[in-house]
Amino acid sequence: YPEEDLVCLEVGTFYEQQDKLEKAHEIYQNYLKRVSPETRSNPDILLNQGVIYAKQGKLDEAIDYWKQTLKCDPHYGIAFGNLMNAYYDKKDLSCMWVFFELGLKATPVPWKNYENIFQQAGNEQLPDFGPGFLYLEEYTKTHPEDAQGYLALAQVSNQLGDKEKAK
C-alpha cells in the first residue's frame, strides 16, 4: 500500500485504540476526502471507518463503509462478518443471510463467518441455519486439514442442540 495509506491507518488505529473515536474518524475522513474512490487501495481504512460508526451506534453508516470495503477488496472476510453482525443487530436476518452466503463464496476461510454469527447471537438459535450448516459440513469434508472448521462445526452443532454431532 502507498505510504500515505499506511500512515493514515496507523494514526487512525492508534486513536481508535485510545477510544478517541472522533479523532480517528477525523483522520480517516480527511484521508478519504483526499483520495478518490478509484485510487483507494487499502480496504482497512474503509473497514475501520465502519467500525467507528458501529461503535457510535450508527449502523447504517457503518454498513455503507463495509460495503465500500468490499468494493475495494471483494474477498475481505472481516467486512462480510461485520455486515452480518450489523444486519443481525438491526434484526434484518434476510440481509444478514445474504452477506453470510456471499461471504462463504468469497472468503477463503468460511468458518470465520460462522464464528462471527454465533459470537453475535450468544446462546440464541438463529432461524434457517440449515443451508449454512450444510455448507460448513461440506467445507470440513473438503478441507480436512482445517481444525478450526471442525471446531466451528462442533460449536454450531452444540448451539443447535445436536450434542452427538458436536462430539
Side-chain angles (χ1 to χ4, degrees):
Y1 298 120
E3 188 172 337
E4 180 184 11
D5 288 18
L6 297 176
V7 169
C8 172
L9 187 59
E10 284 182 34
V11 173
T13 301
F14 171 79
Y15 283 120
E16 193 177 341
Q17 290 170 342
Q18 301 299 313
D19 207 30
K20 296 179 179 177
L21 300 181
E22 288 302 320
K23 189 66 178 166
H25 173 73
E26 180 183 326
I27 297 291
Y28 294 139
Q29 280 302 110
N30 287 338
Y31 167 83
L32 293 170
K33 286 177 186 174
R34 286 191 317 271
V35 179
S36 71
E38 296 79 32
T39 61
R40 289 181 192 150
S41 62
N42 190 329
D44 294 324
I45 293 169
L46 295 164
L47 183 89
N48 287 3
Q49 186 69 320
V51 169
I52 290 170
Y53 277 121
K55 286 180 178 179
Q56 294 171 332
K58 300 175 182 177
L59 286 180
D60 291 330
E61 290 88 343
I63 287 169
D64 180 55
Y65 274 96
W66 292 328
K67 287 179 179 178
Q68 288 181 50
T69 302
L70 291 175
K71 286 180 184 171
C72 189
D73 179 353
H75 303 284
Y76 204 142
I78 295 171
F80 283 108
N82 287 354
L83 283 162
M84 289 184 295
N85 290 339
Y87 282 115
Y88 179 83
D89 287 346
K90 290 178 61 120
K91 310 285 188 248
D92 187 343
L93 296 182
S94 63
C95 279
M96 182 195 80
W97 286 118
V98 166
F99 282 99
F100 176 79
E101 292 296 328
L102 290 171
L104 287 176
K105 294 173 186 166
T107 60
V109 188
W111 56 263
K112 288 189 180 291
N113 294 330
Y114 291 89
E115 199 172 84
N116 284 336
I117 287 177
F118 281 93
Q119 282 175 356
Q120 186 67 23
N123 291 326
E124 295 177 41
Q125 288 187 15
L126 297 177
D128 293 330
F129 194 74
F133 183 75
L134 293 175
Y135 187 95
L136 184 55
E137 280 188 315
E138 187 60 31
Y139 175 80
T140 55
K141 288 176 190 172
T142 58
H143 296 82
E145 74 287 353
D146 188 348
Q148 290 293 329
Y150 286 102
L151 178 60
L153 182 60
Q155 289 170 336
V156 170
S157 297
N158 189 50
Q159 285 279 4
L160 295 175
D162 189 342
K163 305 293 183 201
E164 191 58 37
K165 219 176 230 183
K167 291 180 184 179

